[in-house]
Amino acid sequence: MKTIAIGVENLCVPCGCRCRYCLLAYSGGTVGVDYARGKRFTERFFDELERCRPDLGRNYYIGYCMDTPMLADYIRFCQRIGSPSGTFLQLNGLAIRDRAEARRFIGEIARAGIRSVDMTFYGQRAYHDRFAGRPGDFEHLMRLMDAAAEAGLALEVSMPLIRENMDQASGLLDALERFPVERYFAFLPHGKGRGWTLNGQRLTRTEFEALPERVQACFSPKIEYLPEGEWLRRGDWPRPESRTLTLSLTPDNIDRLERTPAEGIVAMLEALDERYHALLPPPEELAARYGDRDGERMCRQRDLLLEYRRRWYGEHGGGVPDMDDETGHFSVRS
């Protein structure tokens, strides 16, 4: 298994939302380390990687959201290491700002070098606010959209669709028509974090095909969604050949990591990934154990396998860390 990239996450910034499908299952508080300490470690780690493993891609991110006084510094650092957050930011979960504050915030990130931003809408106003877990979030995102458009930033909109909100998608597009949105990205929610709690809300093929054409056109043609039963009948499970590893900084591990050379950290992450995947049964066995051959839920094959692995790990995981859990060290194989 070839390691092709290394990421560092420092979950040191709290989020203003409690979204129902949160990738990081955020429920308050943070698990990262002080921003300045995390950045110093990451600079040293990546500088060493540049010398000993220049073949590896690098990525760095903070959060649960981007609402920190150190944001401009973070953006500049991401630009230096070639991380996407040097020019692109997701703006979900920020503290609610009035119109003037939104303009100031957008102006600051534009001056720091941000060229495009993404906002996630879960439906129309009342439903969106319930899904996001706070009143006023919809209107706040609209103010950010206004400010970003005025500043000339490229606008992107993400729209997770489930049974509850599928009938709101067309109306949401109407509400956003006044903005120069460059890309709408509709998707069926992921299976990580709290995403698995929405499995019962997944669209069937009939429901998916009943979506208005303008909504269907927002789905990426590069991502394949099929009913669970069809994935099982196809039986063509992936055989990954490469992996991206991510290191999660916490108060419990930062002292040790600061004393460990970069090559040792990479070796540690690779060993964790190998242990986890050696524990898991092959996809065919997981599918036979947990799959529903008559299942009509539409999903990506990736998310179907994540669900099966989560269920198996819950029954048999033992003391091996879950490398699908993005709240700690994790890996993505491809």
Side-chain angles (χ1 to χ4, degrees):
M1 180 64 59
K2 181 180 181 181
T3 300
I4 60 173
I6 296 286
V8 176
E9 71 169 15
N10 183 16
L11 301 179
C12 62
V13 182
C15 183
C17 292
R18 300 292 188 278
C19 299
R20 283 173 57 194
Y21 79 140
C22 180
L23 175 71
L24 298 171
Y26 182 74
S27 58
T30 62
V31 299
V33 301
D34 173 74
Y35 170 82
R37 187 177 184 183
K39 181 189 169 189
R40 282 196 303 273
F41 164 81
T42 305
E43 286 180 306
R44 188 273 296 180
F45 178 49
F46 282 173
D47 285 346
E48 288 187 22
L49 283 181
E50 185 66 25
R51 293 191 294 271
C52 67
R53 292 293 304 273
D55 57 304
L56 295 178
R58 295 172 295 172
N59 186 33
Y60 174 60
Y61 60 93
I62 58 174
Y64 299 91
C65 84
M66 294 290 105
D67 210 343
T68 170
M70 304 306 296
L71 184 55
D73 181 80
Y74 166 73
I75 292 169
R76 287 191 293 270
F77 179 57
C78 288
Q79 290 165 355
R80 182 164 77 80
I81 64 174
S83 179
S85 294
T87 56
F88 168 81
L89 283 184
Q90 289 184 317
L91 300 186
N92 307 309
L94 304 178
I96 290 182
R97 290 164 166 79
D98 63 25
R99 190 170 301 278
E101 291 166 336
R103 285 173 173 162
R104 280 197 295 273
F105 175 83
I106 293 296
E108 289 166 2
I109 65 172
R111 286 189 293 275
I114 294 300
R115 296 294 173 258
S116 61
V117 293
D118 176 273
M119 275 74 77
T120 303
F121 287 89
Y122 304 117
Q124 298 183 57
R125 183 180 292 102
Y127 180 87
H128 171 95
D129 287 356
R130 289 195 303 272
F131 195 102
R134 66 171 175 180
D137 192 69
F138 183 93
E139 288 302 325
H140 176 236
L141 291 183
M142 297 289 272
R143 288 193 291 274
L144 290 172
M145 294 271 285
D146 263 325
E150 288 176 6
L153 300 185
L155 302 180
E156 299 184 7
V157 169
S158 296
M159 304 186 303
L161 294 184
I162 56 178
R163 284 179 173 173
E164 283 183 359
N165 70 358
M166 59 180 287
D167 292 337
Q168 300 181 43
S170 189
L172 175 61
L173 293 178
D174 289 339
L176 298 175
E177 272 186 342
R178 65 187 177 89
F179 299 107
V181 177
E182 293 196 0
R183 187 187 77 139
Y184 287 97
F185 176 51
F187 62 97
L188 305 185
H190 55 70
K192 290 192 175 187
R194 285 195 290 265
W196 68 269
T197 65
L198 298 179
N199 278 339
Q201 284 287 327
R202 287 191 175 277
L203 305 185
T204 65
R205 171 172 276 163
T206 299
E207 291 166 334
F208 184 86
E209 291 176 350
L211 292 169
E213 286 187 15
R214 66 193 295 226
V215 175
Q216 291 190 36
C218 295
F219 283 84
S220 170
K222 298 179 181 179
I223 297 176
E224 185 175 23
Y225 294 102
L226 291 174
E228 178 180 14
E230 191 164 332
W231 282 122
L232 294 172
R233 290 188 292 275
R234 180 182 288 189
D236 182 20
W237 302 105
R239 295 289 183 265
E241 298 179 351
S242 62
R243 63 189 167 198
T244 295
L245 303 169
T246 298
L247 183 75
S248 183
L249 306 183
T250 71
D252 292 334
N253 66 27
I254 187 64
D255 288 343
R256 182 176 68 257
L257 291 172
E258 286 173 335
R259 297 191 300 268
T260 306
E263 287 180 293
I265 293 172
V266 174
M268 178 268 291
L269 290 172
E270 289 177 335
L272 288 174
D273 176 71
E274 294 292 345
R275 285 179 62 199
Y276 176 64
H277 284 276
L279 181 72
L280 294 172
E284 295 85 355
E285 185 176 329
L286 290 170
R289 184 182 183 107
Y290 300 112
D292 177 2
R293 294 188 67 83
D294 297 319
E296 298 182 352
R297 300 174 305 155
M298 293 278 284
C299 55
R300 297 175 68 169
Q301 187 184 55
R302 174 202 69 180
D303 291 326
L304 196 59
L305 283 173
L306 282 170
E307 178 188 343
Y308 297 162
R309 295 207 298 245
R310 180 185 60 81
R311 293 171 65 180
W312 192 92
Y313 184 85
E315 296 171 3
H316 308 281
V320 177
D322 180 356
M323 292 297 282
D324 287 327
D325 180 359
E326 298 195 14
T327 62
H329 304 324
F330 70 94
S331 61
V332 177
R333 291 189 169 194
S334 57

